[in-house]
């Protein structure tokens, strides 16, 4: 396919169109089964999720995400899933919409003021995301961290993607450059969550 690692969604779409809803890929460093049909995804992720285990690649996410719902399994996953379900229930989401709408309208007004100027849309969207998440989940203004947080996420995400593609990875405790940069990025992201001198 005429795609690169930078265009994964296009690669997935072309894979589905060429090979169908279920695609088996015996790659050198792992065996991967792609499921594209909603019924198959529902069977694995909802109806029979306890029959399937997360691959070893998920361990690469733990430095960034900890032992949360994305990386955990079994009873711990079920407990976290139950807690999150309450926050994302339709009635609960309806309570969020007015604040989300308020922040979004303000972001659009700020963009209108930039007419004729060059600006990065990603910076606007990341700031909006931090405003919404900070207000709804942390009750605080963390938007002023958005640029630095985006850069930190990019550093750690690049490290994770590199580890997931390689057959062999150096241990995370080794003081090599990619591990040093990753730990520095994670330390900054952690500092945002424990920061208490909110504006």
């Amino acid at each position: 396919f005429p795609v690169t690692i930078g265009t994964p969604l296009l690669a997935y779409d072309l894979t589905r169109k060429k090979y169908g809803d279920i695609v088996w890929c015996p790659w050198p460093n792992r065996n991967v089964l792609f499921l594209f049909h909603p019924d198959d995804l529902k069977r694995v992720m909802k109806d029979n999720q306890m029959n399937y285990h997360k691959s070893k690649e998920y361990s690469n996410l733990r430095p960034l995400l900890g032992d949360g719902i994305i990386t955990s399994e079994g009873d711990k996953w079920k407990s976290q899933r139950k807690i999150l379900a309450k926050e994302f229930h339709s009635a609960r989401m309806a309570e969020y919409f007015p604040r989300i709408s308020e922040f979004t309208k303000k972001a659009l007004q700020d963009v209108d003021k930039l007419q004729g100027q060059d600006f990065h849309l990603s910076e606007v969207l990341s700031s909006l995301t931090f405003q919404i998440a900070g207000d709804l989940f942390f009750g605080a203004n963390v938007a002023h961290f958005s640029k630095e947080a985006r850069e930190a996420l990019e550093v750690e995400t690049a490290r994770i993607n590199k580890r997931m593609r390689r057959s062999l990875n150096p241990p995370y405790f080794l003081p090599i450059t990619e591990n040093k940069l990753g730990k520095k990025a994670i330390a900054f992201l952690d500092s945002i969550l424990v920061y208490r001198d909110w504006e």
Side-chain angles (χ1 to χ4, degrees):
F1 298 134
V3 295
T4 67
I5 292 173
T7 57
L9 294 179
L10 177 59
Y12 297 149
D13 187 48
L14 292 175
T15 299
R16 180 190 61 81
K17 289 177 180 177
K18 184 173 179 64
Y19 298 108
D21 289 330
I22 300 177
V23 182
W24 172 252
C25 296
W27 291 337
N29 61 336
R30 78 195 69 158
N31 294 315
V32 177
L33 181 68
F34 288 104
L35 302 177
F36 294 102
H37 196 281
D39 291 343
D40 295 327
L41 296 174
K42 180 174 179 290
R43 175 183 175 82
V44 172
M45 303 183 73
K46 184 176 186 298
D47 298 339
N48 300 278
Q49 75 269 21
M50 301 305 289
N51 293 339
Y52 303 91
H53 297 284
K54 293 174 179 176
S55 66
K56 63 180 182 180
E57 280 77 18
Y58 277 81
S59 63
N60 294 308
L61 298 172
R62 282 199 170 89
L64 177 62
L65 302 179
D67 201 16
I69 191 170
I70 294 178
T71 57
S72 63
E73 294 192 273
D75 291 337
K76 187 164 190 175
W77 177 88
K78 289 173 67 176
S79 175
Q80 293 175 336
R81 173 72 170 76
K82 188 179 295 185
I83 293 172
L84 285 176
K86 297 176 182 178
E87 290 299 316
F88 290 93
H89 189 273
S90 57
R92 185 66 168 157
M93 290 299 295
E95 297 178 13
Y96 297 155
F97 290 153
R99 292 294 286 162
I100 293 174
S101 177
E102 179 182 335
F103 283 120
T104 303
K105 288 178 180 177
K106 176 64 168 58
L108 291 174
Q109 292 172 356
D110 291 341
V111 169
D112 282 341
K113 297 175 183 178
L114 297 174
Q115 285 189 9
Q117 304 178 43
D118 292 333
F119 65 92
H120 290 284
L121 183 60
S122 61
E123 293 182 5
V124 175
L125 295 177
S126 65
S127 177
L128 174 60
T129 300
F130 267 70
Q131 286 178 328
I132 293 172
D135 183 78
L136 298 183
F137 303 126
F138 301 106
N141 175 18
V142 294
H144 52 294
F145 288 120
S146 60
K147 182 177 183 296
E148 294 85 351
R150 188 183 71 253
E151 292 172 351
L153 282 172
E154 288 174 353
V155 168
E156 178 59 6
T157 300
R159 190 190 71 84
I160 290 171
N161 287 334
K162 186 185 297 183
R163 291 181 66 87
M164 285 187 167
R165 292 196 301 270
R166 289 190 302 223
S167 299
L168 295 173
N169 282 302
Y172 190 55
F173 63 79
L174 287 181
I176 60 176
T177 300
E178 70 175 60
N179 288 344
K180 288 180 179 179
L181 292 175
K183 289 179 178 179
K184 182 178 179 181
I186 291 171
F188 174 76
L189 294 170
D190 286 344
S191 73
I192 295 177
L193 297 180
V194 300
Y195 185 69
R196 287 294 176 269
D197 186 18
W198 306 109
E199 290 185 353

